[in-house]
Amino acid sequence: MSYHPETEQIAKQWGRVVGLWVVATWVFRRMSMGRIDRMFHSKRDSQQSSRAIVCIIDLCNFSTWCYDKSSEEVMCAMFKYNRFITQRLKRLPRLEKIELVGDCAMIVGWKSENDGVVMREMSEFAMNMLQHIDTIRNIFGDHNISIRIGIHEGVTSSGFVSNPRKFQMFGSTVNLASRIESAASNGTCLVSDESICDSVNLFCNITPKGLFKLKGVHEEVSCSKLEPKTMVM
């Protein structure tokens, strides 16, 4: 086989070109990922110290159900339950699932001034969850499983904590929504009266339940029970 210096030189030049292309592609992708990451975090950052509607959903009798289940069975059921929740949220763009920890899920909708759309979506979501309790029971294979829902609106702060990096909500609004959820009966949704707006009537029948003395809350809170008005798909 004959040796051709020109061929070797051309091969080296093409090698350098390909190498530069690979490096440039890698750098471009990293920069793009950085831009997307910054866009994502800037969106989050803009939501700090803003008004939000916080919805807490608790699985009733979850601890009893877990008692004789393997870790794999619990994980499989919770994955299905998480998927069930996210499917309910697909048509509700203003709402977001912030976390699912143990048997508790937090759904949040950030709102602007006098924005009734977020509360409308939150009430639609809550009624949808209540109307599909049988589906939730099928996920866990236990007719004793149920849910409680608590909703409250107020000022929240949000941001990322480290180790591990995770988005978190802070403020008395989150605590109050959790306390309202604890005061609800199994299979019901309780909402603070100050959070109710006219748009809630589209999906819910509203029944005033009076004042509640909630744990860790100095003043009694006026709440109402929300019940589905019509079938929500």
Side-chain angles (χ1 to χ4, degrees):
M1 185 174 179
S2 60
Y3 172 74
H4 297 284
E6 297 84 0
T7 303
E8 182 181 7
Q9 186 177 4
I10 292 173
K12 288 182 179 180
Q13 289 176 347
W14 273 107
R16 285 193 291 268
V17 170
V18 172
L20 289 172
W21 180 81
V22 170
V23 172
T25 302
W26 181 83
V27 171
F28 176 77
R29 287 181 177 177
R30 294 293 297 179
M31 291 176 63
S32 298
M33 289 173 64
R35 284 197 298 270
I36 292 171
D37 190 58
R38 287 193 298 273
M39 288 170 61
F40 179 78
H41 294 324
S42 65
K43 176 186 175 184
R44 297 293 194 178
D45 293 341
S46 67
Q47 294 170 344
Q48 290 189 1
S49 300
S50 60
R51 291 195 70 82
I53 298 172
V54 179
C55 172
I56 304 293
I57 308 169
D58 185 65
L59 277 171
C60 309
N61 301 316
F62 178 74
S63 297
T64 302
W65 175 84
C66 284
Y67 182 76
D68 59 351
K69 302 295 186 299
S70 68
S71 58
E72 289 81 5
E73 288 176 306
V74 175
M75 182 181 68
C76 181
M78 291 308 296
F79 278 12
K80 291 179 180 178
Y81 178 58
N82 181 67
R83 195 156 51 242
F84 170 80
I85 292 175
T86 55
Q87 287 173 349
R88 309 269 82 74
L89 292 170
K90 280 184 178 179
R91 296 188 302 106
L92 305 170
R94 293 173 181 255
L95 305 185
E96 185 174 358
K97 179 173 69 66
I98 297 301
E99 63 180 359
L100 175 62
V101 179
D103 58 354
C104 183
M106 182 192 300
I107 313 299
V108 175
W110 285 272
K111 60 176 294 184
S112 57
E113 195 73 21
N114 299 321
D115 183 1
V117 177
V118 180
M119 189 60 197
R120 185 194 71 197
E121 289 192 2
M122 190 66 81
S123 60
E124 179 182 355
F125 167 76
M127 296 304 98
N128 194 294
M129 291 290 292
L130 292 179
Q131 289 174 328
H132 288 86
I133 285 182
D134 285 341
T135 303
I136 299 173
R137 288 170 177 156
N138 289 336
I139 289 174
F140 293 91
D142 189 339
H143 69 277
N144 292 313
I145 288 287
S146 188
I147 59 173
R148 292 192 306 259
I149 302 176
I151 301 174
H152 181 62
E153 176 189 334
V155 176
T156 63
S157 293
S158 57
F160 285 87
V161 295
S162 301
N163 302 319
R165 186 170 175 79
K166 184 179 180 183
F167 186 71
Q168 291 284 347
M169 298 284 297
F170 304 94
S172 60
T173 299
V174 178
N175 178 65
L176 196 49
S178 178
R179 298 306 183 192
I180 292 173
E181 171 269 307
S182 297
S185 303
N186 290 3
T188 66
C189 174
L190 204 60
V191 58
S192 61
D193 286 341
E194 63 182 277
S195 305
I196 297 175
C197 60
D198 292 340
S199 61
V200 174
N201 291 306
L202 293 173
F203 302 100
C204 311
N205 291 318
I206 305 171
T207 304
K209 302 300 289 184
L211 295 172
F212 285 77
K213 178 59 180 176
L214 304 175
K215 182 180 178 181
V217 181
H218 299 306
E219 298 180 356
E220 293 182 326
V221 179
S222 179
C223 298
S224 293
K225 182 171 74 172
L226 303 184
E227 297 175 293
K229 179 177 287 186
T230 57
M231 190 65 185
V232 181
M233 300 304 292

